[in-house]
Amino acid sequence: MKYNWLTVNATRLVMGAAVVLLMQGCGFLKSKFGGSGGKGGEVGITNGEITATGRKGWKQPTPFGMVLVPSGSFIMGQADEDVAATQINMNRQVTISSFYMDDAEISNHEYRQYVNALLADSVSTLGEEEIMSKYYPDTTVWKNDFTYHNGDPMLEHYYGHPAFDTYPVVGVSWIAAKHFCKWRTNTLDDFRTKDGGYKSFGFRLPSEAEWEWAARGGKNGAKYPWGNPYVANGKGCYLANFKPQRGNFDADGYPYTAPATAYNPNDYGLYNMAGNVAEWCRDAYADNTNAIVWDMNPDNQNADEPRKVVRGGSWKDIAYYLETGTRYYEYEDQKRSYIGFRCVMDNLEGRTASGRVGGGGKSKAPKKASAKKA
């Protein structure tokens, strides 16, 4: 067999060039703006030419108690038959950028740091009455949410007693949860700027699209954070804290809430994305959300709409509300014994390598559970 060596060499040259371009497009090759490229460093202008590259010293550390959720695209919406036939979460494909998320719901003891800080530093500006009425958890929810219910023990002990330090905070409105995120951001940024560092990208509530993407844990089409289709494992042990059977609240191990890191996390390392307490999202609620938001990082921020999205189901809900695609709402100023929250932070460094290969992008930071024991 005879070879045309000219043709072979030309083919090899074209293939080599294609590989280089592909690697450069995927970010595997350094440009003058990355690594050690460029002679000028961060000088700025040298000999009349712009020689500035990236400023040194910047990196985005993983916030304590958070895990990295990779970017990706998924089919958002109901993963099973809509029992309520509400038709308010029709399926469609959306794309989500990478972000960090608390591995567990904000606990009583974590929230207490915020309240104590307000009482120590903000009484002169906010007033003690506003702090106690708007931001302090409403402990009376344990009696007010349920008719003919003995909520006295929970009312007296749940927020204040050390026995419940690592349990999720409840009785907190959407307004208070949003204010907590602002305080948490300011606390971190004050430390960083005093230490000569850059400010963070800020903590906030997750959008409902981010929340659903994180809850699925990389399992596209998953009915629950652990997959399909059951709420118990092969041994009959329930996988979340909710209202199983016909109302046997104790069957899952906890009659009310459970510790924020109870049960197994999903594949992204997130605890209790179904059950325990439902969670506030940033979005304003709308039945026709699909028609009014974009499919890239959908987010419906409407200050004129007092209804805010709640996701995940709680200790008092049936399994339908635990599904990753079930959405409902509560009014932003309402405080409930079954609604809490967790925070997120944008990851502006882009899509991670672990996200490209389908990994969870799990944080190497110490577990939040350790912080709660402190």
Side-chain angles (χ1 to χ4, degrees):
M1 182 181 293
K2 295 182 179 180
Y3 293 91
N4 187 330
W5 293 109
L6 183 60
T7 302
V8 171
N9 289 335
T11 302
R12 288 176 177 174
L13 182 63
V14 171
M15 292 178 64
V19 170
V20 170
L21 290 174
L22 179 61
M23 293 177 67
Q24 188 172 10
C26 290
F28 296 123
L29 298 180
K30 295 179 180 178
S31 69
K32 69 175 183 177
F33 297 108
S36 57
K39 296 180 180 180
E42 55 178 318
V43 173
I45 297 179
T46 304
N47 298 329
E49 295 187 274
I50 299 175
T51 58
T53 58
R55 285 175 286 179
K56 291 180 172 58
W58 160 249
K59 63 178 181 179
Q60 184 172 8
T62 300
F64 182 82
M66 285 189 159
V67 296
L68 179 63
V69 179
S71 62
S73 183
F74 75 112
I75 304 300
M76 184 177 178
Q78 208 68 36
D80 199 0
E81 181 181 0
D82 189 352
V83 178
T86 52
Q87 304 295 308
I88 57 172
N89 201 15
M90 306 297 289
N91 297 106
R92 68 166 182 161
Q93 186 165 4
V94 301
T95 301
I96 305 295
S97 298
S98 176
F99 58 93
Y100 296 94
M101 181 178 243
D102 282 324
D103 66 354
E105 298 138 344
I106 297 299
S107 69
N108 283 317
H109 202 41
E110 289 171 327
Y111 195 83
R112 191 176 296 115
Q113 312 312 308
Y114 157 70
V115 172
N116 290 344
L118 291 185
L119 292 173
D121 304 328
S122 303
V123 171
S124 60
T125 55
L126 296 177
E128 184 174 356
E129 182 178 353
E130 179 176 345
I131 293 173
M132 297 303 293
S133 63
K134 185 179 290 188
Y135 306 122
Y136 192 90
D138 183 2
T139 60
T140 65
V141 293
W142 293 106
K143 287 188 69 72
N144 296 338
D145 283 346
F146 311 104
T147 305
Y148 300 116
H149 166 255
N150 179 24
D152 289 342
M154 300 297 284
L155 183 155
E156 184 177 353
H157 299 297
Y158 186 76
Y159 178 65
H161 198 280
F164 294 102
D165 276 352
T166 63
Y167 285 60
V169 67
V170 297
V172 173
S173 69
W174 180 87
I175 295 172
K178 187 177 179 181
H179 194 264
F180 173 93
C181 295
K182 181 179 179 181
W183 167 83
R184 187 177 178 183
T185 299
N186 291 338
T187 301
L188 177 60
D189 287 348
D190 286 347
F191 172 80
R192 285 189 174 179
T193 53
K194 289 177 183 177
D195 200 40
Y198 295 99
K199 288 187 176 182
S200 69
F201 296 134
F203 298 97
R204 58 176 175 82
L205 294 176
S207 69
E208 68 166 320
E210 289 172 331
W211 190 97
E212 186 173 326
W213 166 246
R216 293 180 187 272
K219 292 181 170 68
N220 204 355
K223 182 177 180 180
Y224 301 108
W226 50 83
N228 295 322
Y230 305 112
V231 292
N233 62 20
K235 297 180 179 180
C237 300
Y238 287 106
L239 300 172
N241 180 20
F242 66 114
K243 181 182 179 179
Q245 303 170 16
R246 294 191 177 184
N248 186 356
F249 289 93
D250 196 51
D252 52 42
Y254 299 92
Y256 290 101
T257 58
T261 52
Y263 305 95
N264 292 325
N266 71 2
D267 286 352
Y268 285 160
L270 300 167
Y271 294 86
N272 290 307
M273 293 300 285
N276 209 24
V277 294
E279 300 176 14
W280 290 112
C281 293
R282 182 166 68 173
D283 299 58
Y285 178 85
D287 287 340
N288 64 334
T289 293
N290 280 354
I292 61 177
V293 298
W294 199 31
D295 53 4
M296 174 64 181
N297 291 320
D299 189 8
N300 180 24
Q301 296 189 60
N302 181 2
D304 296 328
E305 174 54 75
R307 298 177 300 170
K308 305 302 181 184
V309 173
V310 176
R311 289 297 200 106
S314 75
W315 61 269
K316 64 95 182 169
D317 291 315
I318 60 174
Y320 168 73
Y321 291 98
L322 272 61
E323 296 181 19
T324 56
T326 300
R327 61 192 302 262
Y328 46 110
Y329 68 87
E330 183 55 88
Y331 287 91
E332 61 184 24
D333 61 349
Q334 293 299 298
K335 303 178 179 183
R336 299 298 184 190
S337 61
Y338 45 86
I339 301 179
F341 69 100
R342 70 180 82 206
C343 306
V344 300
M345 177 186 285
D346 292 313
N347 172 29
L348 297 190
E349 288 189 327
R351 185 170 180 151
T352 63
S354 58
R356 279 196 292 268
V357 298
K362 202 170 181 181
S363 165
K364 294 183 180 180
K367 286 288 185 184
K368 182 181 285 190
S370 300
K372 292 176 182 176
K373 292 177 182 177

